[in-house]
């Protein structure tokens, strides 16, 4: 039991320590201009204001996919550079400095809120998808107790000679990737003012140089997301990630099997864009265990009868085909205005020449335009298919509908295909009980067929 003198001593000590603690806190705030500079401030800081930014100067399917994933998770994204001319190069090699300058222009115009911290989340757009909510992203960022966090990858690009300058190039994903980063506004402004960058300079090289400057890295508390806690770059990490579907969860998700993390932003950087295309069929609530292809329902459109698109119906007769008369009848029965159809017929079988000529002479005038290639024209199949494609591109044709003579279509097939909202659709042909189909689901690095991860699920129709 403490005596009176001990109690008095403790009380006096507490009184003395209180002003010292206050001075310590004030020094922390003054040093970094943020309460987070000390652990007490980090644990009790006010709810930050978060702004999500990207750069996209043109609209395309990649941007549509990115913005859809943002909407799915209720993330409001401001797109920088909309409608402006892209001046950052073709991005197949070094380039992208235009992104840095657009971001710098935006952040310079922003004011730091007086009552809360300002956090900026920046990502690329065309090859990026959100996989979680902004609250989840910010929560994971705050748990790391850093001021700026860049995504990380296994390659030191674009200048591999800089690898030796990294603090620890032996750990997992040791190198900076500029496709995604999150941080506080004051620190990001200092990073963007590190040096002048030209629009055609490389954005990743610019940020790399900032990170490799030890004074900047330590004073601004810049770190890399080595374990893909938030950012998952796919290039060089395809064997590290796994798509989990048909689990106990309704929505498929991505997991890094090496770090045991479920990243919240995925980036199909470099040659990994094809993989991202495949994953996008399932991620960001595009597919569900109970409803199948949710994205298919979202994309479906209602055809406007007054504005039906022009279609090039390309018929290819490459093998001797029974019931040719019935085949031509199925073409005539297609429920679509013939004045909206460009008819193209290629016959490579001399045996069918009379039947083809009879059909063409009787009905070609019903279509908007008509052309045929005879079996005697010495035009190969590949060349004929390219001719059909080029005729469609060179005319007011909006869709190319290819049909081989040994296939049959229902009258409403064309309308159904157009209403899906997809740009390219191919049939799925399988043999019951066999791992056989007319596709492999992917292509390899040299452009040849490759089996996709979901191939057997598609063939068995367990994923639809």
């Amino acid at each position: 039991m403490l005596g009176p003198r001990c109690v008095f001593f403790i009380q006096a000590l507490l009184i003395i320590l209180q002003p010292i603690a206050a001075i310590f806190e004030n020094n922390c705030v003054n040093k970094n201009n943020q309460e987070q500079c000390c652990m007490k401030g980090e644990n009790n800081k006010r709810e930050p204001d978060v702004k999500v930014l990207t750069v996209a100067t043109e609209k395309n399917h990649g941007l549509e996919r990115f913005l859809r994933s943002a909407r799915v998770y209720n993330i409001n994204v401001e797109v920088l550079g909309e409608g402006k001319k892209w001046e950052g190069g073709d991005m197949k090699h070094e380039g992208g400095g235009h992104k840095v300058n657009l971001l710098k222009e935006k952040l310079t115009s922003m004011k730091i809120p007086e009552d809360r911290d300002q956090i900026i989340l920046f990502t690329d757009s065309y090859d990026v998808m959100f996989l979680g909510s902004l609250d989840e992203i910010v929560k994971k960022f705050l748990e790391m107790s850093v001021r700026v966090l860049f995504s990380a990858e296994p390659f030191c690009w674009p200048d591999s000679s800089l690898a030796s300058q990294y603090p620890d190039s032996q750990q997992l994903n040791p190198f900076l990737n500029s496709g995604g980063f999150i941080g506080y506004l004051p620190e990001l402004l200092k990073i963007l003012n590190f040096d002048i960058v030209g629009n055609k300079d490389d954005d990743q090289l610019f940020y790399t140089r900032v990170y490799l400057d030890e004074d900047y890295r330590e004073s601004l508390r810049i770190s890399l997301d080595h374990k893909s806690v938030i950012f998952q770059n796919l290039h060089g990490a395809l064997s590290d990630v796994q798509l989990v579907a048909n689990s106990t969860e309704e929505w498929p998700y991505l997991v890094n099997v090496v770090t045991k993390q479920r990243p919240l932003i995925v980036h199909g950087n470099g040659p990994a864009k094809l993989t991202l295309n495949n994953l996008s069929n399932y991620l960001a609530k595009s597919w569900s265990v109970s409803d199948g292809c949710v994205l298919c329902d979202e994309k479906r459109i209602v055809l406007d009868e007054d504005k039906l698109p022009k279609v090039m119906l390309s018929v290819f007769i490459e093998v001797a085909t029974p019931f040719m008369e019935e085949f031509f009848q199925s073409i005539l029965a297609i429920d679509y205005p013939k004045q909206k159809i460009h008819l193209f017929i290629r016959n490579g079988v001399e045996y069918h020449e009379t039947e083809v000529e009879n059909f063409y002479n009787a009905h070609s005038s019903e279509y908007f335009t008509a052309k045929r290639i005879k079996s005697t024209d010495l035009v190969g199949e590949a060349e004929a298919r390219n001719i059909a494609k080029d005729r469609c591109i060179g005319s007011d044709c909006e869709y190319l509908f290819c049909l081989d003579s040994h296939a049959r279509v229902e009258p409403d097939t064309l309308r159904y295909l157009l209403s899906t909202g997809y740009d390219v659709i191919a049939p799925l042909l399988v043999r019951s009980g066999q791992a056989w189909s007319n596709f492999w689901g992917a292509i390899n690095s040299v452009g040849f067929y490759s089996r996709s991860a979901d191939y057997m699920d598609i063939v068995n129709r367990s994923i639809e």
Side-chain angles (χ1 to χ4, degrees), residues 97-168:
H98 196 186
K99 290 188 290 184
V100 178
N101 290 324
L102 287 171
L103 179 61
K104 181 178 179 180
E105 179 183 347
K106 173 62 182 179
L107 297 193
T108 303
S109 68
M110 293 177 59
K111 293 183 179 179
I112 302 176
E114 296 181 359
D115 59 338
R116 59 176 60 191
D117 294 321
Q118 178 69 66
I119 292 178
I120 303 296
L121 170 62
F122 179 87
T123 74
D124 286 351
S125 57
Y126 300 140
D127 55 1
V128 169
M129 291 178 66
F130 290 105
L131 306 182
S133 70
L134 190 57
D135 287 343
E136 293 176 286
I137 295 171
V138 173
K139 181 177 182 293
K140 286 191 175 184
F141 170 64
L142 295 178
E143 288 173 350
M144 296 184 186
S145 298
V146 299
R147 299 295 290 177
V148 180
L149 181 73
F150 279 89
S151 68
E153 63 169 305
F155 306 110
C156 184
W157 193 90
D159 187 353
S160 59
S161 68
L162 297 176
S164 60
Q165 299 182 32
Y166 272 78
D168 186 2

Side-chain angles (χ1 to χ4, degrees), residues 191-354:
I191 289 174
L192 293 170
N193 285 295
F194 175 80
D195 199 358
I196 296 174
V197 56
N199 283 339
K200 290 188 177 180
D201 292 341
D202 192 79
D203 61 319
Q204 186 153 307
L205 183 59
F206 171 78
Y207 291 119
T208 297
R209 285 173 175 162
V210 176
Y211 180 74
L212 294 181
D213 187 302
E214 186 176 356
D215 291 337
Y216 262 74
R217 183 174 68 248
E218 293 184 356
S219 64
L220 301 182
R221 293 169 60 191
I222 306 171
S223 186
L224 305 184
D225 189 5
H226 299 293
K227 294 184 178 180
S228 301
V229 175
I230 296 176
F231 304 100
Q232 176 66 64
N233 291 299
L234 293 176
H235 182 35
L238 297 184
S239 61
D240 298 346
V241 298
Q242 179 180 341
L243 176 70
V244 180
N246 285 326
S247 68
T248 55
E249 296 189 30
E250 177 69 10
W251 304 104
Y253 59 90
L254 196 67
V255 62
N256 188 310
V257 296
V258 176
T259 65
K260 311 302 181 185
Q261 298 290 334
R262 287 174 58 166
L264 300 171
I265 298 173
V266 60
H267 180 202
N269 54 319
K273 289 175 177 53
L274 284 177
T275 300
L276 181 65
N277 290 345
N278 178 272
L279 292 174
S280 67
N281 293 316
Y282 306 98
L283 297 176
K285 301 183 179 181
S286 296
W287 186 91
S288 78
V289 173
S290 58
D291 297 325
C293 184
V294 176
L295 183 60
C296 297
D297 294 332
E298 290 180 14
K299 292 179 71 69
R300 192 167 298 282
I301 61 175
V302 177
L303 298 178
D304 185 343
E305 291 299 318
D306 296 328
K307 298 179 181 179
L308 291 175
K310 293 268 181 74
V311 178
M312 177 158 290
L313 173 57
S314 300
V315 177
F316 296 92
I317 306 168
E318 304 300 335
V319 295
T321 307
F323 308 109
M324 279 298 294
E325 182 178 349
E326 287 78 5
F327 170 71
F328 283 126
Q329 286 300 320
S330 70
I331 291 177
L332 291 174
I334 292 176
D335 180 21
Y336 205 79
K338 291 183 174 54
Q339 282 301 302
K340 292 284 186 178
I341 295 178
H342 298 274
L343 180 64
F344 177 89
I345 301 178
R346 135 76 182 191
N347 178 33
V349 182
E350 184 178 359
Y351 175 78
H352 290 307
E353 195 59 50
T354 300

Side-chain angles (χ1 to χ4, degrees), residues 398-462:
E398 296 176 60
Y399 290 91
L400 177 63
F401 183 31
C402 295
L403 186 62
D404 285 9
S405 61
H406 52 273
R408 296 291 185 271
V409 293
E410 298 292 335
D412 61 347
T413 298
L414 179 55
R415 284 181 177 271
Y416 172 80
L417 295 175
L418 292 173
S419 69
T420 63
Y422 280 92
D423 292 339
V424 179
I425 302 177
L428 170 61
L429 303 177
V430 298
R431 289 176 178 169
S432 180
Q434 300 182 38
W436 183 96
S437 74
N438 62 329
F439 83 112
W440 281 83
I443 58 174
N444 61 20
S445 59
V446 295
F448 199 69
Y449 296 119
S450 176
R451 178 173 290 191
S452 61
D454 54 2
Y455 175 77
M456 292 306 302
D457 287 326
I458 294 175
V459 169
N460 295 326
R461 296 189 181 276
S462 58

Side-chain angles (χ1 to χ4, degrees), residues 385-396:
R385 291 184 185 273
N386 280 328
I387 290 173
K389 177 199 67 177
D390 293 339
R391 279 179 64 83
C392 185
I393 293 173
S395 67
D396 60 349

